Amino acid sequence: MRRPSTVRMGPISVFALVIILCLAVLGVLSATSASAGSAMAQRQADYAADGYRNEIAGQRFYALADDVLAPVRARGGDAQAAADALAAALDGIERAALDDAGEGALADRADGADGSDAARASDGGLSLDATVDGTEIAVHIEAQSGRCLDVAFAVQPDVTLSVTSWKATTLWAEDATDRLWTGPSAGAETGAAAGAEAAAAG
Amino acid sequence: MLLAFLAASLSILVSLFVQARVEGAEGKRLTQAVALAQNAAEEFAADPAGAQGMEVESDGLVATVQVSAETHEAGALLNATVTVVDERGSASFSAGEEAYRLSTACYVPGYAADAAGGAAPDAGAAGSADDAEAPAAGGAASGDGSGVE
């Protein structure tokens, strides 16, 4: 009678299996790392594009605001007249400033609590807040990704518009999902108190 | 049987490693393309009028800046499109393929755009001396902001 065949695991087979397992682990780690790197690169590319979309909206706002000042300048008006003209045209400027970023820009207007004129426009991807306070104009542009652009303009006595501040920032929300210990640090406080008492006693 | 198992396992693992390598190279190339596009965009912000047709090259990637002028009452809004092309070709991009595209703009008070779409500075315009620095400052600020990432 013939004996049933069995797979015999010799040292070479075991060695080969261990090598295959190690290679599999390394391969999975490599693929995961490459995928994460690629996703991060794509995210960085999107962030850069959003930053420059903000830049376009800011520059467009600057151009359109300067357009509003041109007739005032031609009439020989003063800085306050120019600021008033800007406040009156704020909604239209905001809509037009966001035109490049997308269709269907919406704007609503409200008088600020401090008497300043404020308006807000958004197009789904970008939002733009502009405030005219005296001869100062503050513009806040924010992309959905958290990229922000804060611009401050000032109407000069010769009715020209100057940029006093141009700041690109990024909103950051702390990711607390990987926090290992969220409870009160009672032990640390006790230790610190004991240390302080020991120092006082010393 | 052991040899067959080894061959099958190794073929799967090799394809996994190749895929990881291609994906990693793609991410690296995109990062390089984004950095190059940002460099070109900042050069445009520093000198909007002189950036038309400018080319910046780095490691087989070429960024080209195309500028179009939009005339306004008292100046011109210069719109720039930075296109990064992979001249050399890589695992992720074929030679000559566009790797990244970036759009930016810069308003320059006192600029008069000519009929051909180019731009020429009007030095006599009021406020141009002060304001011409502002877009450059803005561009630099955006560059700093992107570095925060």
PDB file of all heavy atoms in Angstrom, chain A residues 149-190:
ATOM      1  N   LEU A 149      -6.018  84.847   2.859  1.00  0.00           N
ATOM      2  CA  LEU A 149      -5.240  86.014   2.451  1.00  0.00           C
ATOM      3  C   LEU A 149      -5.887  87.231   3.097  1.00  0.00           C
ATOM      4  O   LEU A 149      -7.082  87.466   2.915  1.00  0.00           O
ATOM      5  CB  LEU A 149      -5.237  86.147   0.924  1.00  0.00           C
ATOM      6  CG  LEU A 149      -4.489  87.350   0.360  1.00  0.00           C
ATOM      7  CD1 LEU A 149      -2.995  87.248   0.628  1.00  0.00           C
ATOM      8  CD2 LEU A 149      -4.726  87.476  -1.135  1.00  0.00           C
ATOM      9  N   ASP A 150      -5.114  87.969   3.876  1.00  0.00           N
ATOM     10  CA  ASP A 150      -5.597  89.199   4.507  1.00  0.00           C
ATOM     11  C   ASP A 150      -4.859  90.369   3.895  1.00  0.00           C
ATOM     12  O   ASP A 150      -3.629  90.423   3.944  1.00  0.00           O
ATOM     13  CB  ASP A 150      -5.365  89.148   6.013  1.00  0.00           C
ATOM     14  CG  ASP A 150      -6.286  88.151   6.684  1.00  0.00           C
ATOM     15  OD1 ASP A 150      -7.470  88.470   6.832  1.00  0.00           O
ATOM     16  OD2 ASP A 150      -5.824  87.041   7.016  1.00  0.00           O
ATOM     17  N   VAL A 151      -5.631  91.270   3.332  1.00  0.00           N
ATOM     18  CA  VAL A 151      -5.037  92.428   2.672  1.00  0.00           C
ATOM     19  C   VAL A 151      -5.597  93.690   3.305  1.00  0.00           C
ATOM     20  O   VAL A 151      -6.790  93.760   3.608  1.00  0.00           O
ATOM     21  CB  VAL A 151      -5.358  92.436   1.159  1.00  0.00           C
ATOM     22  CG1 VAL A 151      -4.568  93.523   0.451  1.00  0.00           C
ATOM     23  CG2 VAL A 151      -5.066  91.096   0.522  1.00  0.00           C
ATOM     24  N   ALA A 152      -4.748  94.662   3.536  1.00  0.00           N
ATOM     25  CA  ALA A 152      -5.188  95.968   4.038  1.00  0.00           C
ATOM     26  C   ALA A 152      -4.772  97.031   3.034  1.00  0.00           C
ATOM     27  O   ALA A 152      -3.612  97.081   2.620  1.00  0.00           O
ATOM     28  CB  ALA A 152      -4.581  96.241   5.403  1.00  0.00           C
ATOM     29  N   PHE A 153      -5.748  97.831   2.628  1.00  0.00           N
ATOM     30  CA  PHE A 153      -5.483  98.943   1.706  1.00  0.00           C
ATOM     31  C   PHE A 153      -5.722 100.255   2.457  1.00  0.00           C
ATOM     32  O   PHE A 153      -6.487 100.289   3.412  1.00  0.00           O
ATOM     33  CB  PHE A 153      -6.439  98.910   0.507  1.00  0.00           C
ATOM     34  CG  PHE A 153      -6.335  97.679  -0.352  1.00  0.00           C
ATOM     35  CD1 PHE A 153      -7.241  96.645  -0.223  1.00  0.00           C
ATOM     36  CD2 PHE A 153      -5.335  97.562  -1.311  1.00  0.00           C
ATOM     37  CE1 PHE A 153      -7.164  95.518  -1.024  1.00  0.00           C
ATOM     38  CE2 PHE A 153      -5.251  96.432  -2.111  1.00  0.00           C
ATOM     39  CZ  PHE A 153      -6.165  95.414  -1.973  1.00  0.00           C
ATOM     40  N   ALA A 154      -5.098 101.298   1.992  1.00  0.00           N
ATOM     41  CA  ALA A 154      -5.356 102.635   2.544  1.00  0.00           C
ATOM     42  C   ALA A 154      -5.524 103.598   1.380  1.00  0.00           C
ATOM     43  O   ALA A 154      -4.755 103.552   0.412  1.00  0.00           O
ATOM     44  CB  ALA A 154      -4.207 103.071   3.434  1.00  0.00           C
ATOM     45  N   VAL A 155      -6.558 104.438   1.487  1.00  0.00           N
ATOM     46  CA  VAL A 155      -6.748 105.464   0.462  1.00  0.00           C
ATOM     47  C   VAL A 155      -5.876 106.653   0.846  1.00  0.00           C
ATOM     48  O   VAL A 155      -6.003 107.223   1.931  1.00  0.00           O
ATOM     49  CB  VAL A 155      -8.232 105.882   0.372  1.00  0.00           C
ATOM     50  CG1 VAL A 155      -8.415 106.929  -0.710  1.00  0.00           C
ATOM     51  CG2 VAL A 155      -9.120 104.686   0.116  1.00  0.00           C
ATOM     52  N   GLN A 156      -4.961 106.987  -0.029  1.00  0.00           N
ATOM     53  CA  GLN A 156      -4.017 108.067   0.246  1.00  0.00           C
ATOM     54  C   GLN A 156      -4.667 109.423  -0.030  1.00  0.00           C
ATOM     55  O   GLN A 156      -5.685 109.511  -0.731  1.00  0.00           O
ATOM     56  CB  GLN A 156      -2.773 107.903  -0.643  1.00  0.00           C
ATOM     57  CG  GLN A 156      -2.016 106.605  -0.400  1.00  0.00           C
ATOM     58  CD  GLN A 156      -1.518 106.482   1.030  1.00  0.00           C
ATOM     59  OE1 GLN A 156      -0.932 107.410   1.574  1.00  0.00           O
ATOM     60  NE2 GLN A 156      -1.790 105.344   1.658  1.00  0.00           N
ATOM     61  N   PRO A 157      -4.104 110.497   0.517  1.00  0.00           N
ATOM     62  CA  PRO A 157      -4.670 111.846   0.273  1.00  0.00           C
ATOM     63  C   PRO A 157      -4.758 112.189  -1.218  1.00  0.00           C
ATOM     64  O   PRO A 157      -5.639 112.958  -1.620  1.00  0.00           O
ATOM     65  CB  PRO A 157      -3.687 112.781   0.985  1.00  0.00           C
ATOM     66  CG  PRO A 157      -3.077 111.934   2.047  1.00  0.00           C
ATOM     67  CD  PRO A 157      -3.002 110.546   1.486  1.00  0.00           C
ATOM     68  N   ASP A 158      -3.871 111.622  -2.054  1.00  0.00           N
ATOM     69  CA  ASP A 158      -3.953 111.908  -3.492  1.00  0.00           C
ATOM     70  C   ASP A 158      -4.896 110.926  -4.203  1.00  0.00           C
ATOM     71  O   ASP A 158      -4.836 110.765  -5.429  1.00  0.00           O
ATOM     72  CB  ASP A 158      -2.561 111.874  -4.134  1.00  0.00           C
ATOM     73  CG  ASP A 158      -1.891 110.511  -3.993  1.00  0.00           C
ATOM     74  OD1 ASP A 158      -2.445 109.663  -3.265  1.00  0.00           O
ATOM     75  OD2 ASP A 158      -0.837 110.279  -4.610  1.00  0.00           O
ATOM     76  N   VAL A 159      -5.773 110.272  -3.416  1.00  0.00           N
ATOM     77  CA  VAL A 159      -6.793 109.356  -3.923  1.00  0.00           C
ATOM     78  C   VAL A 159      -6.185 108.194  -4.727  1.00  0.00           C
ATOM     79  O   VAL A 159      -6.726 107.771  -5.742  1.00  0.00           O
ATOM     80  CB  VAL A 159      -7.883 110.105  -4.744  1.00  0.00           C
ATOM     81  CG1 VAL A 159      -9.121 109.237  -4.913  1.00  0.00           C
ATOM     82  CG2 VAL A 159      -8.287 111.381  -4.068  1.00  0.00           C
ATOM     83  N   THR A 160      -5.072 107.737  -4.290  1.00  0.00           N
ATOM     84  CA  THR A 160      -4.537 106.484  -4.822  1.00  0.00           C
ATOM     85  C   THR A 160      -4.690 105.428  -3.731  1.00  0.00           C
ATOM     86  O   THR A 160      -4.851 105.763  -2.559  1.00  0.00           O
ATOM     87  CB  THR A 160      -3.049 106.605  -5.210  1.00  0.00           C
ATOM     88  OG1 THR A 160      -2.315 107.033  -4.066  1.00  0.00           O
ATOM     89  CG2 THR A 160      -2.851 107.565  -6.361  1.00  0.00           C
ATOM     90  N   LEU A 161      -4.644 104.195  -4.148  1.00  0.00           N
ATOM     91  CA  LEU A 161      -4.819 103.084  -3.206  1.00  0.00           C
ATOM     92  C   LEU A 161      -3.451 102.468  -2.949  1.00  0.00           C
ATOM     93  O   LEU A 161      -2.741 102.114  -3.884  1.00  0.00           O
ATOM     94  CB  LEU A 161      -5.754 102.050  -3.847  1.00  0.00           C
ATOM     95  CG  LEU A 161      -6.503 101.101  -2.931  1.00  0.00           C
ATOM     96  CD1 LEU A 161      -7.376 101.859  -1.957  1.00  0.00           C
ATOM     97  CD2 LEU A 161      -7.362 100.157  -3.771  1.00  0.00           C
ATOM     98  N   SER A 162      -3.095 102.361  -1.689  1.00  0.00           N
ATOM     99  CA  SER A 162      -1.808 101.714  -1.390  1.00  0.00           C
ATOM    100  C   SER A 162      -2.059 100.463  -0.549  1.00  0.00           C
ATOM    101  O   SER A 162      -3.005 100.396   0.230  1.00  0.00           O
ATOM    102  CB  SER A 162      -0.876 102.673  -0.664  1.00  0.00           C
ATOM    103  OG  SER A 162      -1.390 102.955   0.616  1.00  0.00           O
ATOM    104  N   VAL A 163      -1.203  99.495  -0.740  1.00  0.00           N
ATOM    105  CA  VAL A 163      -1.315  98.247   0.027  1.00  0.00           C
ATOM    106  C   VAL A 163      -0.483  98.403   1.290  1.00  0.00           C
ATOM    107  O   VAL A 163       0.724  98.620   1.219  1.00  0.00           O
ATOM    108  CB  VAL A 163      -0.803  97.054  -0.806  1.00  0.00           C
ATOM    109  CG1 VAL A 163      -0.889  95.772   0.006  1.00  0.00           C
ATOM    110  CG2 VAL A 163      -1.591  96.914  -2.087  1.00  0.00           C
ATOM    111  N   THR A 164      -1.124  98.316   2.441  1.00  0.00           N
ATOM    112  CA  THR A 164      -0.381  98.444   3.701  1.00  0.00           C
ATOM    113  C   THR A 164      -0.035  97.080   4.291  1.00  0.00           C
ATOM    114  O   THR A 164       0.862  96.972   5.117  1.00  0.00           O
ATOM    115  CB  THR A 164      -1.181  99.268   4.723  1.00  0.00           C
ATOM    116  OG1 THR A 164      -2.472  98.680   4.872  1.00  0.00           O
ATOM    117  CG2 THR A 164      -1.330 100.705   4.279  1.00  0.00           C
ATOM    118  N   SER A 165      -0.763  96.056   3.874  1.00  0.00           N
ATOM    119  CA  SER A 165      -0.468  94.714   4.400  1.00  0.00           C
ATOM    120  C   SER A 165      -0.975  93.667   3.416  1.00  0.00           C
ATOM    121  O   SER A 165      -2.029  93.834   2.804  1.00  0.00           O
ATOM    122  CB  SER A 165      -1.162  94.569   5.761  1.00  0.00           C
ATOM    123  OG  SER A 165      -1.251  93.227   6.138  1.00  0.00           O
ATOM    124  N   TRP A 166      -0.200  92.608   3.251  1.00  0.00           N
ATOM    125  CA  TRP A 166      -0.588  91.519   2.329  1.00  0.00           C
ATOM    126  C   TRP A 166      -0.087  90.228   2.958  1.00  0.00           C
ATOM    127  O   TRP A 166       1.089  89.907   2.853  1.00  0.00           O
ATOM    128  CB  TRP A 166       0.052  91.753   0.964  1.00  0.00           C
ATOM    129  CG  TRP A 166      -0.525  90.914  -0.135  1.00  0.00           C
ATOM    130  CD1 TRP A 166      -0.292  89.591  -0.357  1.00  0.00           C
ATOM    131  CD2 TRP A 166      -1.433  91.338  -1.153  1.00  0.00           C
ATOM    132  NE1 TRP A 166      -0.999  89.171  -1.443  1.00  0.00           N
ATOM    133  CE2 TRP A 166      -1.708  90.219  -1.959  1.00  0.00           C
ATOM    134  CE3 TRP A 166      -2.034  92.563  -1.458  1.00  0.00           C
ATOM    135  CZ2 TRP A 166      -2.561  90.293  -3.050  1.00  0.00           C
ATOM    136  CZ3 TRP A 166      -2.887  92.624  -2.546  1.00  0.00           C
ATOM    137  CH2 TRP A 166      -3.138  91.501  -3.327  1.00  0.00           C
ATOM    138  N   LYS A 167      -0.978  89.556   3.664  1.00  0.00           N
ATOM    139  CA  LYS A 167      -0.545  88.407   4.476  1.00  0.00           C
ATOM    140  C   LYS A 167      -1.252  87.133   4.058  1.00  0.00           C
ATOM    141  O   LYS A 167      -2.473  87.065   4.084  1.00  0.00           O
ATOM    142  CB  LYS A 167      -0.882  88.684   5.955  1.00  0.00           C
ATOM    143  CG  LYS A 167       0.301  89.142   6.766  1.00  0.00           C
ATOM    144  CD  LYS A 167       0.032  89.093   8.249  1.00  0.00           C
ATOM    145  CE  LYS A 167      -1.235  89.783   8.690  1.00  0.00           C
ATOM    146  NZ  LYS A 167      -1.311  89.977  10.144  1.00  0.00           N
ATOM    147  N   ALA A 168      -0.487  86.145   3.687  1.00  0.00           N
ATOM    148  CA  ALA A 168      -1.048  84.829   3.372  1.00  0.00           C
ATOM    149  C   ALA A 168      -0.865  83.930   4.582  1.00  0.00           C
ATOM    150  O   ALA A 168       0.244  83.840   5.129  1.00  0.00           O
ATOM    151  CB  ALA A 168      -0.347  84.239   2.160  1.00  0.00           C
ATOM    152  N   THR A 169      -1.934  83.331   5.025  1.00  0.00           N
ATOM    153  CA  THR A 169      -1.861  82.459   6.207  1.00  0.00           C
ATOM    154  C   THR A 169      -2.614  81.160   5.926  1.00  0.00           C
ATOM    155  O   THR A 169      -3.304  81.039   4.918  1.00  0.00           O
ATOM    156  CB  THR A 169      -2.484  83.133   7.440  1.00  0.00           C
ATOM    157  OG1 THR A 169      -3.797  83.555   7.099  1.00  0.00           O
ATOM    158  CG2 THR A 169      -1.669  84.303   7.916  1.00  0.00           C
ATOM    159  N   THR A 170      -2.464  80.224   6.824  1.00  0.00           N
ATOM    160  CA  THR A 170      -3.189  78.953   6.709  1.00  0.00           C
ATOM    161  C   THR A 170      -3.855  78.649   8.033  1.00  0.00           C
ATOM    162  O   THR A 170      -3.207  78.712   9.080  1.00  0.00           O
ATOM    163  CB  THR A 170      -2.217  77.815   6.350  1.00  0.00           C
ATOM    164  OG1 THR A 170      -1.558  78.139   5.135  1.00  0.00           O
ATOM    165  CG2 THR A 170      -2.945  76.496   6.174  1.00  0.00           C
ATOM    166  N   LEU A 171      -5.155  78.369   7.978  1.00  0.00           N
ATOM    167  CA  LEU A 171      -5.859  77.971   9.198  1.00  0.00           C
ATOM    168  C   LEU A 171      -5.419  76.560   9.558  1.00  0.00           C
ATOM    169  O   LEU A 171      -5.286  75.703   8.687  1.00  0.00           O
ATOM    170  CB  LEU A 171      -7.379  77.984   8.971  1.00  0.00           C
ATOM    171  CG  LEU A 171      -8.024  79.345   8.754  1.00  0.00           C
ATOM    172  CD1 LEU A 171      -9.503  79.168   8.478  1.00  0.00           C
ATOM    173  CD2 LEU A 171      -7.824  80.233   9.963  1.00  0.00           C
ATOM    174  N   TRP A 172      -5.198  76.336  10.807  1.00  0.00           N
ATOM    175  CA  TRP A 172      -4.735  75.017  11.237  1.00  0.00           C
ATOM    176  C   TRP A 172      -5.572  74.545  12.413  1.00  0.00           C
ATOM    177  O   TRP A 172      -5.703  75.247  13.414  1.00  0.00           O
ATOM    178  CB  TRP A 172      -3.259  75.080  11.628  1.00  0.00           C
ATOM    179  CG  TRP A 172      -2.702  73.780  12.080  1.00  0.00           C
ATOM    180  CD1 TRP A 172      -2.531  72.656  11.345  1.00  0.00           C
ATOM    181  CD2 TRP A 172      -2.256  73.459  13.394  1.00  0.00           C
ATOM    182  NE1 TRP A 172      -1.992  71.662  12.108  1.00  0.00           N
ATOM    183  CE2 TRP A 172      -1.811  72.131  13.376  1.00  0.00           C
ATOM    184  CE3 TRP A 172      -2.180  74.170  14.587  1.00  0.00           C
ATOM    185  CZ2 TRP A 172      -1.311  71.491  14.500  1.00  0.00           C
ATOM    186  CZ3 TRP A 172      -1.675  73.541  15.699  1.00  0.00           C
ATOM    187  CH2 TRP A 172      -1.248  72.208  15.641  1.00  0.00           C
ATOM    188  N   ALA A 173      -6.159  73.386  12.263  1.00  0.00           N
ATOM    189  CA  ALA A 173      -6.915  72.788  13.356  1.00  0.00           C
ATOM    190  C   ALA A 173      -6.099  71.621  13.889  1.00  0.00           C
ATOM    191  O   ALA A 173      -5.744  70.713  13.138  1.00  0.00           O
ATOM    192  CB  ALA A 173      -8.271  72.305  12.857  1.00  0.00           C
ATOM    193  N   GLU A 174      -5.819  71.662  15.175  1.00  0.00           N
ATOM    194  CA  GLU A 174      -4.986  70.624  15.762  1.00  0.00           C
ATOM    195  C   GLU A 174      -5.691  69.279  15.705  1.00  0.00           C
ATOM    196  O   GLU A 174      -6.862  69.160  16.083  1.00  0.00           O
ATOM    197  CB  GLU A 174      -4.644  70.972  17.203  1.00  0.00           C
ATOM    198  CG  GLU A 174      -3.668  69.984  17.820  1.00  0.00           C
ATOM    199  CD  GLU A 174      -3.398  70.289  19.278  1.00  0.00           C
ATOM    200  OE1 GLU A 174      -3.980  71.259  19.799  1.00  0.00           O
ATOM    201  OE2 GLU A 174      -2.617  69.545  19.883  1.00  0.00           O
ATOM    202  N   ASP A 175      -4.986  68.305  15.211  1.00  0.00           N
ATOM    203  CA  ASP A 175      -5.540  66.961  15.155  1.00  0.00           C
ATOM    204  C   ASP A 175      -5.254  66.267  16.481  1.00  0.00           C
ATOM    205  O   ASP A 175      -4.104  65.955  16.799  1.00  0.00           O
ATOM    206  CB  ASP A 175      -4.901  66.190  13.993  1.00  0.00           C
ATOM    207  CG  ASP A 175      -5.453  64.798  13.880  1.00  0.00           C
ATOM    208  OD1 ASP A 175      -6.502  64.526  14.497  1.00  0.00           O
ATOM    209  OD2 ASP A 175      -4.846  63.968  13.180  1.00  0.00           O
ATOM    210  N   ALA A 176      -6.324  66.047  17.254  1.00  0.00           N
ATOM    211  CA  ALA A 176      -6.146  65.454  18.585  1.00  0.00           C
ATOM    212  C   ALA A 176      -6.517  63.975  18.611  1.00  0.00           C
ATOM    213  O   ALA A 176      -6.633  63.376  19.674  1.00  0.00           O
ATOM    214  CB  ALA A 176      -7.004  66.221  19.589  1.00  0.00           C
ATOM    215  N   THR A 177      -6.688  63.402  17.401  1.00  0.00           N
ATOM    216  CA  THR A 177      -7.135  62.002  17.365  1.00  0.00           C
ATOM    217  C   THR A 177      -6.050  61.031  17.806  1.00  0.00           C
ATOM    218  O   THR A 177      -6.348  59.909  18.195  1.00  0.00           O
ATOM    219  CB  THR A 177      -7.593  61.633  15.940  1.00  0.00           C
ATOM    220  OG1 THR A 177      -6.537  61.961  15.047  1.00  0.00           O
ATOM    221  CG2 THR A 177      -8.842  62.383  15.546  1.00  0.00           C
ATOM    222  N   ASP A 178      -4.790  61.451  17.726  1.00  0.00           N
ATOM    223  CA  ASP A 178      -3.718  60.528  18.098  1.00  0.00           C
ATOM    224  C   ASP A 178      -3.205  60.795  19.521  1.00  0.00           C
ATOM    225  O   ASP A 178      -2.133  60.341  19.891  1.00  0.00           O
ATOM    226  CB  ASP A 178      -2.562  60.622  17.102  1.00  0.00           C
ATOM    227  CG  ASP A 178      -1.994  62.026  17.045  1.00  0.00           C
ATOM    228  OD1 ASP A 178      -2.642  62.940  17.585  1.00  0.00           O
ATOM    229  OD2 ASP A 178      -0.911  62.197  16.460  1.00  0.00           O
ATOM    230  N   ARG A 179      -4.002  61.538  20.283  1.00  0.00           N
ATOM    231  CA  ARG A 179      -3.566  61.827  21.660  1.00  0.00           C
ATOM    232  C   ARG A 179      -3.760  60.571  22.506  1.00  0.00           C
ATOM    233  O   ARG A 179      -4.845  59.983  22.522  1.00  0.00           O
ATOM    234  CB  ARG A 179      -4.389  62.990  22.209  1.00  0.00           C
ATOM    235  CG  ARG A 179      -3.833  63.510  23.515  1.00  0.00           C
ATOM    236  CD  ARG A 179      -4.544  64.770  23.923  1.00  0.00           C
ATOM    237  NE  ARG A 179      -4.162  65.881  23.065  1.00  0.00           N
ATOM    238  CZ  ARG A 179      -4.737  67.076  23.107  1.00  0.00           C
ATOM    239  NH1 ARG A 179      -5.741  67.278  23.933  1.00  0.00           N
ATOM    240  NH2 ARG A 179      -4.343  68.033  22.320  1.00  0.00           N
ATOM    241  N   LEU A 180      -2.730  60.186  23.185  1.00  0.00           N
ATOM    242  CA  LEU A 180      -2.792  58.939  23.948  1.00  0.00           C
ATOM    243  C   LEU A 180      -3.455  59.141  25.302  1.00  0.00           C
ATOM    244  O   LEU A 180      -4.104  58.239  25.827  1.00  0.00           O
ATOM    245  CB  LEU A 180      -1.380  58.380  24.143  1.00  0.00           C
ATOM    246  CG  LEU A 180      -0.652  58.002  22.853  1.00  0.00           C
ATOM    247  CD1 LEU A 180       0.742  57.524  23.177  1.00  0.00           C
ATOM    248  CD2 LEU A 180      -1.416  56.932  22.093  1.00  0.00           C
ATOM    249  N   TRP A 181      -3.310  60.312  25.886  1.00  0.00           N
ATOM    250  CA  TRP A 181      -3.839  60.521  27.225  1.00  0.00           C
ATOM    251  C   TRP A 181      -4.513  61.887  27.264  1.00  0.00           C
ATOM    252  O   TRP A 181      -3.874  62.910  27.028  1.00  0.00           O
ATOM    253  CB  TRP A 181      -2.702  60.455  28.255  1.00  0.00           C
ATOM    254  CG  TRP A 181      -3.111  60.844  29.642  1.00  0.00           C
ATOM    255  CD1 TRP A 181      -2.712  61.949  30.343  1.00  0.00           C
ATOM    256  CD2 TRP A 181      -4.002  60.130  30.499  1.00  0.00           C
ATOM    257  NE1 TRP A 181      -3.292  61.972  31.563  1.00  0.00           N
ATOM    258  CE2 TRP A 181      -4.093  60.856  31.697  1.00  0.00           C
ATOM    259  CE3 TRP A 181      -4.733  58.943  30.361  1.00  0.00           C
ATOM    260  CZ2 TRP A 181      -4.883  60.452  32.766  1.00  0.00           C
ATOM    261  CZ3 TRP A 181      -5.510  58.537  31.426  1.00  0.00           C
ATOM    262  CH2 TRP A 181      -5.580  59.279  32.612  1.00  0.00           C
ATOM    263  N   THR A 182      -5.837  61.906  27.476  1.00  0.00           N
ATOM    264  CA  THR A 182      -6.564  63.174  27.461  1.00  0.00           C
ATOM    265  C   THR A 182      -7.058  63.563  28.848  1.00  0.00           C
ATOM    266  O   THR A 182      -7.707  64.588  29.004  1.00  0.00           O
ATOM    267  CB  THR A 182      -7.775  63.082  26.511  1.00  0.00           C
ATOM    268  OG1 THR A 182      -8.572  61.977  26.933  1.00  0.00           O
ATOM    269  CG2 THR A 182      -7.351  62.897  25.083  1.00  0.00           C
ATOM    270  N   GLY A 183      -6.796  62.722  29.849  1.00  0.00           N
ATOM    271  CA  GLY A 183      -7.290  63.005  31.193  1.00  0.00           C
ATOM    272  C   GLY A 183      -6.488  64.097  31.875  1.00  0.00           C
ATOM    273  O   GLY A 183      -5.485  64.583  31.346  1.00  0.00           O
ATOM    274  N   PRO A 184      -6.973  64.522  33.030  1.00  0.00           N
ATOM    275  CA  PRO A 184      -6.256  65.573  33.762  1.00  0.00           C
ATOM    276  C   PRO A 184      -4.902  65.062  34.228  1.00  0.00           C
ATOM    277  O   PRO A 184      -4.765  63.895  34.608  1.00  0.00           O
ATOM    278  CB  PRO A 184      -7.168  65.865  34.956  1.00  0.00           C
ATOM    279  CG  PRO A 184      -7.989  64.627  35.116  1.00  0.00           C
ATOM    280  CD  PRO A 184      -8.154  64.045  33.754  1.00  0.00           C
ATOM    281  N   SER A 185      -3.926  65.927  34.190  1.00  0.00           N
ATOM    282  CA  SER A 185      -2.573  65.500  34.566  1.00  0.00           C
ATOM    283  C   SER A 185      -2.400  65.654  36.074  1.00  0.00           C
ATOM    284  O   SER A 185      -1.614  66.474  36.545  1.00  0.00           O
ATOM    285  CB  SER A 185      -1.532  66.317  33.810  1.00  0.00           C
ATOM    286  OG  SER A 185      -1.785  67.689  34.012  1.00  0.00           O
ATOM    287  N   ALA A 186      -3.214  64.860  36.831  1.00  0.00           N
ATOM    288  CA  ALA A 186      -3.194  64.960  38.288  1.00  0.00           C
ATOM    289  C   ALA A 186      -1.831  64.568  38.844  1.00  0.00           C
ATOM    290  O   ALA A 186      -1.310  65.205  39.761  1.00  0.00           O
ATOM    291  CB  ALA A 186      -4.281  64.059  38.877  1.00  0.00           C
ATOM    292  N   GLY A 187      -1.265  63.518  38.274  1.00  0.00           N
ATOM    293  CA  GLY A 187       0.024  63.043  38.754  1.00  0.00           C
ATOM    294  C   GLY A 187       1.106  64.084  38.585  1.00  0.00           C
ATOM    295  O   GLY A 187       1.896  64.339  39.494  1.00  0.00           O
ATOM    296  N   ALA A 188       1.066  64.739  37.409  1.00  0.00           N
ATOM    297  CA  ALA A 188       2.089  65.746  37.136  1.00  0.00           C
ATOM    298  C   ALA A 188       1.942  66.930  38.074  1.00  0.00           C
ATOM    299  O   ALA A 188       2.925  67.474  38.583  1.00  0.00           O
ATOM    300  CB  ALA A 188       1.971  66.202  35.691  1.00  0.00           C
ATOM    301  N   GLU A 189       0.634  67.327  38.316  1.00  0.00           N
ATOM    302  CA  GLU A 189       0.406  68.467  39.208  1.00  0.00           C
ATOM    303  C   GLU A 189       0.880  68.140  40.622  1.00  0.00           C
ATOM    304  O   GLU A 189       1.496  68.948  41.298  1.00  0.00           O
ATOM    305  CB  GLU A 189      -1.084  68.826  39.225  1.00  0.00           C
ATOM    306  CG  GLU A 189      -1.498  69.590  37.962  1.00  0.00           C
ATOM    307  CD  GLU A 189      -3.003  69.695  37.830  1.00  0.00           C
ATOM    308  OE1 GLU A 189      -3.702  69.322  38.800  1.00  0.00           O
ATOM    309  OE2 GLU A 189      -3.457  70.111  36.773  1.00  0.00           O
ATOM    310  N   THR A 190       0.538  66.901  41.076  1.00  0.00           N
ATOM    311  CA  THR A 190       0.957  66.483  42.413  1.00  0.00           C
ATOM    312  C   THR A 190       2.477  66.494  42.520  1.00  0.00           C
ATOM    313  O   THR A 190       3.043  66.988  43.492  1.00  0.00           O
ATOM    314  CB  THR A 190       0.431  65.062  42.706  1.00  0.00           C
ATOM    315  OG1 THR A 190      -0.950  65.033  42.438  1.00  0.00           O
ATOM    316  CG2 THR A 190       0.670  64.691  44.151  1.00  0.00           C
TER     317      THR A 190
END
